[in-house]
Amino acid sequence: MKDKKKLDLAALASIPLIMTLANSMLIPVLPLMRKELKISAMQSSLIITVYAAISILCIPVAGYLSDRFGRKLIIIIGLSLAAVGGLVSGLSAWLLEQHAYALILVGRFIQGIGAAGAFPIVLPLVGDMFDSEEEVSSGLGMIETSNTFGKVVSPILGSALALVVWFLPLAIIPVICLLSIAAVGFFVHAPKKKSKESDSKQMTVKTFIRNVKKILKQEGRWLYAIFAIGCFIMFIMFGFLYYLSSVLEDDYGIDGIWKGVLLAIPLMAICLASYAAGKIVGENKTRMKLLAGGGAVLTAAAMLICGLVNTNGIVFLLTLMFASGAGIGFALPSLDALITEGIEKKERGTITSLYSSARFIGVALGPPIASLIVKQDALLFYLFAGLSIISALLAVFIKLPDKAKRQPSNA
């Protein structure tokens, strides 16, 4: 990979890091926000839910816009909206009292729209930037590593910032967004579209919908499988993180920064495994499928052991969570590579955005469903294991088409 491309990739890697921090570092400080804003637990949870829910709806729209108007432009607009939303939330928490909570939600709503136009567009842009499939796989591995690294540091960073002033985790978001905007603006050089590809800029919404239906009809067998695996894996990740957070606080009396440190252990496994997977898969699609399936099998094994064996020991529990995280980390970059390499460049923004929406559904559903059965440890772990096994089967039996034999979409 050329040094110039490394700078491009480093700038793009800042986006998932910042978008993850913008959401995940608020989780450990929600109880403090609830106290300061004098709101209920349900109201405080909306600070997270509003961000994720609007992102799910806006991601496919952002994908269409990136295909039509260019990925870099949509990313910069998305980061700018995220900065504006963070500014609204931070200033509301600082300067207002009576209507602070309502305006914080407005800011988070704007942030969610911006997030939809940022991280999901990074995946197809990485696919556009490199000609070699091996470089694409390595780049996607770095993007997933940055995404997961954000999850690793977010609980610790959020707790540390809140020690200074309770609303600082909200107020810091515009600053880090501006840093990412500068990095993307200076270092990212989106590849020039060929004349044939530039025809997509003339695509109407009606033509866009027709082409999406055509792609899904031709490639639905493996695309739907990858959408499902992505949803299941993110459901498992955020579900077991919710479970682990509850157990550490309720059963072991661990909270604050130390709880954040322990939560970072399985997330670190995801981070390291994502980086390794990006290096391993190269341009071998069979290897991508097997690594995605193998990662799901590893997660299933760890969850089955958790369900079958008494996990009262915190070291034993964290060890199994570490193994489960490694399995998730192996699967995610492999899925990214499969879907990016299996779709033509002019259609990547749309299809990878649908994939990102599926992942966000898993993120949104994992914690609330886990909360309903958190006291029934075995049932929860069997649910995670079952979804992991289904994911492994779907990954193994995915059959990717040859892109060269695909019929091109009519723009």
Side-chain angles (χ1 to χ4, degrees):
M1 189 180 298
K2 297 178 181 179
D3 291 339
K4 183 179 178 181
K5 292 292 186 180
K6 287 182 179 179
L7 289 175
D8 289 49
L9 195 57
L12 290 176
S14 70
I15 298 171
L17 173 63
I18 288 170
M19 292 297 100
T20 300
L21 289 176
N23 199 38
S24 298
M25 72 177 174
L26 300 182
I27 294 175
V29 298
L30 286 180
L32 180 58
M33 289 185 175
R34 184 170 68 238
K35 179 181 176 181
E36 293 290 339
L37 294 169
K38 297 179 177 59
I39 57 177
S40 67
M42 175 60 71
Q43 286 176 308
S44 68
S45 69
L46 291 178
I47 296 175
I48 302 297
T49 303
V50 164
Y51 176 94
I54 190 62
S55 294
I56 294 171
L57 297 176
C58 291
I59 285 172
V61 178
Y64 163 67
L65 294 176
S66 78
D67 280 341
R68 183 168 183 180
F69 299 107
R71 316 229 193 267
K72 182 177 176 179
L73 175 62
I74 300 304
I75 286 174
I76 290 177
I77 292 174
L79 288 170
S80 300
L81 284 172
V84 170
L87 188 64
V88 171
S89 294
L91 290 178
S92 300
W94 180 25
L95 300 175
L96 301 179
E97 291 185 7
Q98 186 176 2
H99 302 292
Y101 171 68
L103 287 175
I104 287 173
L105 289 186
V106 171
R108 294 290 289 168
F109 184 90
I110 297 171
Q111 263 187 285
I113 297 173
F119 174 45
I121 310 303
V122 171
L123 300 181
L125 181 52
V126 171
D128 295 347
M129 285 168 50
F130 299 103
D131 296 323
S132 164
E133 292 185 6
E134 186 172 358
E135 287 183 321
V136 171
S137 299
S138 179
L140 291 172
M142 187 174 294
I143 295 299
E144 282 294 356
T145 300
S146 178
N147 182 27
T148 309
F149 180 71
K151 292 182 175 66
V152 173
V153 301
S154 56
I156 303 171
L157 181 60
S159 300
L161 290 173
L163 291 176
V164 180
V165 59
W166 70 272
F167 58 80
L168 191 54
L170 288 170
I172 201 69
I173 292 169
V175 177
I176 57 179
C177 284
L178 289 176
L179 293 175
S180 186
I181 290 171
V184 172
F186 281 110
F187 297 117
V188 174
H189 300 86
K192 295 181 179 179
K193 290 181 177 291
K194 298 178 182 179
S195 58
K196 185 177 179 180
E197 291 177 347
S198 64
D199 291 343
S200 62
K201 290 187 175 182
Q202 307 302 320
M203 187 184 298
T204 64
V205 173
K206 184 177 180 180
T207 304
F208 163 76
I209 294 173
R210 184 171 66 246
N211 285 345
V212 169
K213 290 180 179 179
K214 184 176 181 180
I215 296 168
L216 293 177
K217 183 178 180 180
Q218 291 178 340
E219 321 290 4
R221 176 181 175 182
W222 64 275
L223 283 177
Y224 291 137
I226 291 181
F227 293 167
I229 297 169
C231 179
F232 292 159
I233 285 178
M234 300 307 289
F235 174 90
I236 294 166
M237 180 196 300
F238 280 82
F240 85 62
L241 287 174
Y242 177 89
Y243 167 82
L244 187 57
S245 178
S246 300
V247 166
L248 289 175
E249 190 161 336
D250 297 341
D251 296 354
Y252 297 98
I254 301 172
D255 57 12
I257 292 180
W258 280 112
K259 184 173 81 170
V261 171
L262 294 179
L263 284 172
I265 292 175
L267 291 168
M268 181 60 73
I270 299 173
C271 183
L272 295 173
S274 294
Y275 181 77
K279 297 293 185 182
I280 292 171
V281 295
E283 55 187 68
N284 189 318
K285 290 184 174 60
T286 300
R287 196 180 299 167
M288 295 174 194
K289 293 193 297 181
L290 292 178
L291 197 58
V297 169
L298 178 58
T299 300
M303 292 300 177
L304 278 175
I305 294 173
C306 285
L308 294 171
V309 180
N310 190 326
T311 57
N312 287 333
I314 188 171
V315 175
F316 183 61
L317 177 61
L318 287 174
T319 300
L320 290 174
M321 292 296 100
F322 186 91
S324 179
I328 291 171
F330 284 131
L332 286 176
S334 303
L335 295 174
D336 294 346
L338 282 169
I339 201 165
T340 302
E341 288 302 313
I343 294 295
E344 299 288 348
K345 285 187 177 183
K346 61 185 177 182
E347 300 157 346
R348 280 177 184 162
T350 302
I351 300 303
T352 56
S353 293
L354 294 175
Y355 167 61
S356 295
S357 289
R359 285 176 52 159
F360 264 78
I361 291 171
V363 172
L365 292 179
I369 292 179
S371 69
L372 296 175
I373 52 178
V374 69
K375 299 300 181 182
Q376 304 176 53
D377 298 29
L379 178 60
L380 182 62
F381 289 129
Y382 291 150
L383 172 61
F384 292 155
L387 292 176
S388 299
I389 292 170
I390 293 172
S391 298
L393 292 173
L394 288 172
V396 170
F397 291 105
I398 289 173
K399 184 177 180 181
L400 287 179
D402 183 354
K403 288 196 297 184
K405 295 181 180 179
R406 286 189 49 201
Q407 297 178 2
S409 299
N410 296 322

